[in-house]
Amino acid sequence: MPSTAETASFKFNHTMIRVKDPKASLHFYTEIMGMDLLSEKKFDDFTLYFLGYDHSNSSQTAEEKQATVFHREALLELTHNHGTESDASFQGYASGNSDPGRGFGHIAIAVDDVDKACARFDKLGVTFKKRPAEGKMRHIAFLLDPDGYWVEIVPGSIRLD
């Protein structure tokens, strides 16, 4: 069904993944993937981190970024349940790509040049699930974040035929 007057203002705001160690995950998504931490909200048992790409040339203040989190599109919410980072018996979360827990697949990040981005990821020691030269789809790559979630790296323009 196409957009109607009732749904014209709807936006895909965010997707959430649970993380074991917020320091490792925040490093991956901010320092390696280049996202900005837009909002951090601590509760008694958990903390929420909202990340996204800032295409405003950094003209927004931290307060403005926080205030606009739910007005933006395509954000990543990291949820950290306190204590998991130091619990030796914690098994981690299902990435969605293996049993049990198959379902969620990946997030995707569009880049100008997949090979150039992958060369950078190599230098930074990022773990690859699939490199561009592997498999049938040679124009994409898959990385693994600190919790084993797949991050697809795609070109900004792609044909799926």
Side-chain angles (χ1 to χ4, degrees), residues 46-95:
F46 62 94
T47 301
L48 306 177
Y49 303 91
F50 287 89
L51 298 110
Y53 289 101
D54 180 9
H55 298 288
S56 70
N57 296 321
S58 299
S59 63
Q60 289 185 313
T61 66
E63 293 80 19
E64 288 170 328
K65 288 178 184 180
Q66 170 118 8
T68 61
V69 162
F70 293 105
H71 295 285
R72 297 180 58 146
E73 293 191 78
L75 298 182
L76 179 63
E77 175 189 354
L78 304 180
T79 297
H80 170 240
N81 294 308
H82 300 162
T84 56
E85 71 283 2
S86 58
D87 182 352
S89 66
F90 182 72
Q91 298 290 316
Y93 296 106
S95 72

Side-chain angles (χ1 to χ4, degrees), residues 1-17:
M1 170 186 268
S3 179
T4 64
E6 293 88 0
T7 62
S9 66
F10 290 13
K11 297 175 186 167
F12 181 83
N13 180 250
H14 68 272
T15 192
M16 183 275 280
I17 57 176

